[in-house]
Amino acid sequence: MVYREHSKAQVSWAQIVSNDSRQSERSICSERQSGRNESMRRAMVTAVALPLSLPFPKPNTPLKPNLIPPPSPLPPPFSLSTSRLIFPKFRWLSSSTSALLTSPTPFLSPPPKNVVDFDVEPYLACSMPGKRLRVAVLLSGGVDSSVALRLLHAAGHECTAFYLKIWFQEDFKNFWSECPWDEDLKYARAVCDSIDVPLEVVHLSDEYWDNVVSYIINEYRCGRTPNPDVLCNTRIKFGAFLEAVQKMEFDYIASGHYAHVIHSAPDNPSGPSMLKLSRDMVKDQTYFLSHLSQSQLERLLFPLGCMQKDQVRTLATLMDLPNKDRKDSQGICFLGKVKFSEFVEMHIGEKEGVMLEAETGDYLGNHRGFWFYTIGQRQGLRLPGGPWYVVGKDTQHNVVFVSRKYFSLDKRRRTFRVGSLTWFSGFCPSNNEKIRCKVRHGPGFYDCSITHEPSKDDKYDDCLEVHLNEDDQGLAAGQFAAFYHGDICLGSGIILDSCDAKTFPICSRALGLAKLEDKSKLGKPVRIMNL
């Protein structure tokens, strides 16, 4: 299979790389086969999903042909010339897509090459079975998105897979030895080839730099700690990409996120879509999706939202996916194998500053720059007699305050302010309403109440003061706080700061020494006594 790419001089901000014409011809031949192949493929699914609590079927479980739904009518094709007019940002379409658009007969998906020999029906609850949809599936090369694609395909939908190239910096030394996405693309192609689903590669590197990476760098320079994964979902995966394909007449954009979107009922099409917690509370990713808008959410489909992670792994094995044994990716979404400290050092640099003990003002040692540290951080301080924790930063004077008493009961942190609010329903919960809150990704929640207050910063139209029912030791400005009512995500906002009366107390001596212009007057670091 040949994939062609154009240089930036030849294409605009987004470009598609895809199958060659020979692959297209094979696809068209398959599309024009008799309805018998289509019937065989549809024997994999049924109209109504069974409860997901059913045990996993063993291979060779017989199918249930009496439950096969009738095929849904397909949308009429549109011409290639029309597609170029309504989709001008893409320089050119793939040969397989071009053939599809110019085909005089309705498109039928070719029969899968490796049909699963078990009843996949019980695992289609979040894949809208019984309908015939055109779905753009974001494929990363990992197990989760691959299983999501296979479930959508098994549900009878017409799928096109898209791989997003969102990060590459030519002069970054860590990328000289190997391309960061070669392995991902290898697996993505193999998964698509197994069921004859077209794969398109979309370049969004410039958009990623402008809307995510530049924002992250600026936030760190200001002493805040942003969340790249939330920004990537909001501005790239379901932002720039959704905008790019919105005129290609896809019904939904799908991915392998662990979340569940409940769309409005057919009798109330104008009703809002809701973001619901996934069945797997540990893997649940609603926190990373909480800052999307309603217009974004109503276009999304997450097939894994009704499943546990171990079920997904088992399905990957039963489907014999080429990446069934591949480990999950870890770390910040855009860095890949690059260490975060190296990324920050390259783009912001280093500037030596001092570390002061918050309770005494004692000079304990030096640091490389306040932007390398976040509130609650323990690793990388290189101080004896610990554990030590970062409890505050003076960004104006490049001073980091640390303490060994971070978890003391008298240093309570239950109240903070949130701005840049987004609500899926368009309405904010009322004052003192009892809701739940997440201040980071993970299964943990806080019960909380909120109070509206005028913004102290022209950057934010509205602010909330959030009151947690328990102390949190790592409230960091720039992170997101997501709010929930039961298992429904209401929306989120950006943490601005902890309220002054509730922040970690820093003594007046430490605050005064931080303002010294000539830090050499501090002398040598004090000898730290072990507790």
Side-chain angles (χ1 to χ4, degrees), residues 69-124:
S72 303
L74 298 175
F78 50 97
S79 68
L80 179 59
S81 58
T82 302
S83 69
R84 286 173 174 165
L85 290 175
I86 65 175
F87 197 36
K89 287 187 177 181
F90 279 78
R91 179 63 178 84
W92 56 280
L93 297 173
S94 69
S95 56
S96 58
T97 307
S98 302
L100 161 64
L101 299 181
T102 56
S103 175
T105 58
F107 175 75
L108 295 176
S109 298
K113 292 181 180 179
N114 57 341
V115 178
V116 294
D117 56 354
F118 65 92
D119 187 4
V120 73
E121 172 196 348
Y123 314 103
L124 302 179

Side-chain angles (χ1 to χ4, degrees), residues 261-275:
V261 181
I262 303 175
H263 295 291
S264 56
D267 57 351
N268 183 28
S270 60
S273 297
M274 295 184 294
L275 181 63

